Amino acid sequence: MDFSIFIHFNDLIPGLPTDLGLECLTRLPHSAHRVALRVCRQWHHLLQSDQFYIHRKKTGRTRRVTCLVQAHHDQPRHDKHTGSLPPSYGISLFDPQSMAWDRVEPVPEYPFGLPLFCQLASCDGSLVLMGGWDPASYEPLTAVFVYDFRTSEWRRGKDMPEKRSFFAIGSGRGRVYVAGGHDENKNALRSAWTYDPRRDEWAGVGPMGRERDECEGVVVGDEFWVVSGYGTERQGMFDGSVEVLDLGSGQWREVNGVWEEGRCPRSCVGVGKDGKLVNFRGLDPGLKVGVCGVAIGSRVVLSGSEYEEAAHGFYLVDMEEGQNRKLKSISVAEGFSGLVQSGCCFEI
């Protein structure tokens, strides 16, 4: 391993050569970085550097976790003046390797709860949060926030070019892709955009062939799949087709008959061993209501309940097992059993 790029970091750990000190710090779990940043100036600069991130990735020390938009409380909140309020949401982390739970710091502009129905995407070391409804006014938002795990800080990104709700989202080739959904007047959309979090820039993508409200985004290889959805005049009548964007050419194509017509795809679309789409809803008797699945390699973290107001269960399933796949129950830490609205896989 070439340690020359770290030559200006000396005596990282007193008494150890620089290369051994670096290897020790490389093995620190992410949960310890918040404390490690405060140990000394050298550690602070090292842990926040691009070189350290690249080194961890090359040596296989990064770790894939799920980032979940999750309710803080299991039961709805109540206000003495306005009555029942929806639960507030934050971002939870689940590490399927250590089976540990953690939280991401709140977005400074929303300290008491994220925008409702906001979307998450992971892109080149950054966690991107966008859209949703203001939790107080229910107004659709165009706000974009980017979280850097190296600094444990949020920054405000450039706003989305259009207001849209319940859109498809995915990431690939260093960009975040959004498509479909509906505008503030409930008109279903065909338009699509791409966001570059490093440059903080938006660029237009050619429109899809049809309107797709309440669609779901899935990235398969170098393609962004926009699954199902419905047009303005077909409220709730979910389509059985997908539109596929080639991330290289920027061209769309439509594929029919790959999703069950009439079934909502929101947060419950996966890709099986055979490359076909899988509906996580109904995969187990405990996965009928509020189902959300987040792929993490060949495995998927699933959550949902058997019926309305039932306790939410959390499971791991290996998609490589084909038709014989079995669900493994996940032990949930206290305070992490709330409803999951959406999520993504992130490589820390």
Side-chain angles (χ1 to χ4, degrees), residues 26 54-63 97 347:
T26 300
I54 294 170
H55 178 68
R56 281 175 57 87
K57 197 164 186 176
K58 284 183 176 179
T59 56
R61 302 300 177 188
T62 55
R63 183 171 291 187
Q97 183 173 331
E347 187 175 9

Side-chain angles (χ1 to χ4, degrees), residues 228-243:
S228 191
Y230 52 81
T232 305
E233 305 303 322
R234 294 173 57 83
Q235 290 292 312
M237 299 176 66
F238 289 96
D239 191 80
S241 68
V242 304
E243 294 206 39

Side-chain angles (χ1 to χ4, degrees), residues 24 31 34 64 66 89-90 105 112 116-117 123 131 151 169 185 189 217-218 239 279 295 304 318 338 344:
C24 290
S31 57
R34 299 170 189 170
R64 289 182 175 181
T66 55
Y89 287 83
E105 288 79 3
F112 303 112
L116 302 174
F117 310 113
C123 191
T151 62
I169 188 170
N185 296 314
L189 299 170
V218 181
D239 191 80
N279 187 347
D318 193 331
C344 69

Side-chain angles (χ1 to χ4, degrees), residues 70-74 303 312 314 332 335-340:
Q70 185 179 39
H72 286 138
H73 308 286
D74 295 334
S303 66
H312 273 69
F314 290 79
V332 181
F336 291 90
S337 58
L339 170 71
V340 175

Side-chain angles (χ1 to χ4, degrees), residues 1 3 18-28 55 59 61:
M1 179 62 64
F3 294 99
T18 298
D19 56 346
L20 290 181
L22 176 63
E23 286 306 295
C24 290
L25 294 180
T26 300
R27 287 165 168 76
L28 279 178
H55 178 68
T59 56
R61 302 300 177 188

Side-chain angles (χ1 to χ4, degrees), residues 193-208:
W193 294 83
T194 177
Y195 174 66
D196 184 334
R198 286 188 176 271
R199 297 183 177 182
D200 195 25
E201 293 177 348
W202 285 92
V205 178
M208 297 183 292

Side-chain angles (χ1 to χ4, degrees), residues 4-24:
S4 60
I5 58 176
F6 300 102
I7 194 67
H8 54 289
F9 292 103
N10 298 313
D11 295 324
L12 288 171
I13 298 178
L16 290 181
T18 298
D19 56 346
L20 290 181
L22 176 63
E23 286 306 295
C24 290

